[in-house]
Amino acid sequence: MPPLPESLPSGHAGPGLLSPPTAGCPRPSSPRRDPGMLLEIVDVTGRSLAASGFAGRTGTRPPAMADLTVCSFLTKVLCANGGRMFLQDLRGHVELSEAKLRDVLQRAGPERFLLQEVEMKEGLWDAEAEAAAGAGGAGGGGGGGGAWAWRVVAVSSARLCARYQRGECQACDQLHFCRRHMLGKCPHRDCWSTCTLSHDIHTPVNIQVLKNHGIFGLNEAQLRILLLQNDPCLLPEVCLLYNKGGDPFYGYCNLKDKCTKFHVCKAFVRGECKLQTCKRSHQLIHATTLKLLQEQGLSIPSVVNFQIIAAYKHMKLHKMLENKDNSATSPEGSRGLEKQGTQEARAAENRPLVPVPAQSARKPCPDICV
């Protein structure tokens, strides 16, 4: 990738780059904007860009770099507002039309932004109902007759390194950061130098990981929001006895409602459950777990976002497996295999006969005159 120019020719404004004013040439005045909308964004290379004026003027920057910069900024805005926003609210932070903004989000894909059309509710809406509605995706709000709107949820594959928490990893492609500090429960948070784990997101290892995931511009509070709704290791520990079968409500867990661990499907939390009708719970938000989440100080909106993302991954995985099975058992697939077999048989029939090598032929008896 060619390096960005330090300055641009006169009369040309680059995306977020302002050349210093020269003598006798004052800087052109820019339109006034709401100060609350001006947030600092940083691209994946770590180069800081001004948030104002970058949108729609990417002529001097390659399209891929422009999209990465916009996605980094959108992730920052989403995490500064709880990790989830409606499209019209998100549009208030960028100078893009709704169609252009939706195109940017769709091109980034669900690995970066989960874009769903949901039904807007009026009045109070509890977390359990919100998570259940989010699990349905587009059209899952349930015919309440309300208006529909596009909802955007920040998604990331960045994770905390589990081996680092045990002191077994020095460098990898995951974040080396104290898990308890990320949850606000580290006993050394007031004197972080006494903790054996890092409390700094800007160490060389973490900086490289953040750049690789395009989230280098996030501060610690925004990174916490992003990880809480994507990284399963920040959720309460999942009860293994509950996941081993037995009773449909408690599995083999004898503590039942008194258990201090999460009674949810472990594979669902990891995005690996292949069962459409699983016997284990896929609901992170209900009466029992809600109390556990509150006791551990987790943000309920972040868990709702985790539920929405996990439900989408489960639906996507099930559809992928279903399409794979249909392609293998469909009449078209069978006819294709039959046609392929017929063609191979015809090719074998039309293939010229190859004489048998002499060493493999049966030797005649020496007593018989050939």
Side-chain angles (χ1 to χ4, degrees), residues 187-331:
H188 306 285
R189 61 180 180 271
D190 296 330
C191 186
W192 60 269
S193 59
T194 60
C195 184
T196 58
L197 303 178
S198 175
H199 288 197
D200 184 11
I201 65 173
H202 294 118
T203 60
V205 174
N206 290 337
I207 287 177
Q208 188 59 48
V209 174
L210 295 175
K211 288 181 179 179
N212 293 341
H213 291 275
I215 54 176
F216 180 71
L218 273 62
N219 58 33
E220 184 178 315
Q222 295 162 354
L223 181 62
R224 178 181 293 108
I225 293 294
L226 185 63
L227 292 178
L228 280 175
Q229 63 189 42
N230 287 277
D231 193 349
C233 85
L234 294 175
L235 292 175
E237 183 180 357
V238 176
C239 181
L240 298 181
L241 293 177
Y242 167 78
N243 279 266
K244 287 186 177 180
D247 187 82
F249 295 101
Y250 303 105
Y252 289 146
C253 181
N254 296 326
L255 297 178
K256 298 185 178 181
D257 292 336
K258 296 180 180 179
C259 183
T260 58
K261 298 180 180 180
F262 231 0
H263 279 202
V264 294
C265 176
K266 184 177 181 180
F268 173 76
V269 171
R270 293 182 175 182
E272 302 170 353
C273 184
K274 299 180 181 180
L275 302 176
Q276 177 66 10
T277 56
C278 182
K279 294 182 179 180
R280 304 300 151 207
S281 174
H282 286 191
Q283 292 297 325
L284 308 183
I285 304 291
H286 53 80
T288 305
T289 59
L290 191 60
K291 181 180 179 181
L292 177 62
L293 295 172
Q294 291 174 344
E295 290 177 351
Q296 299 202 14
L298 290 174
S299 170
I300 302 303
S302 295
V303 180
V304 172
N305 294 346
F306 191 103
Q307 171 79 55
I308 295 173
I309 296 172
Y312 171 79
K313 290 181 178 180
H314 178 252
M315 177 190 66
K316 183 179 178 180
L317 178 61
H318 177 72
K319 285 186 176 181
M320 182 183 67
L321 296 175
E322 190 177 33
N323 293 336
K324 185 177 180 181
D325 294 340
N326 292 339
S327 62
T329 59
S330 62

Side-chain angles (χ1 to χ4, degrees), residues 57-79:
R57 295 184 293 169
T58 57
T60 60
R61 184 184 296 272
M65 175 59 71
D67 286 347
L68 288 175
T69 304
V70 175
C71 290
S72 177
F73 175 65
L74 294 176
T75 301
K76 185 177 181 71
V77 173
L78 286 169
C79 294

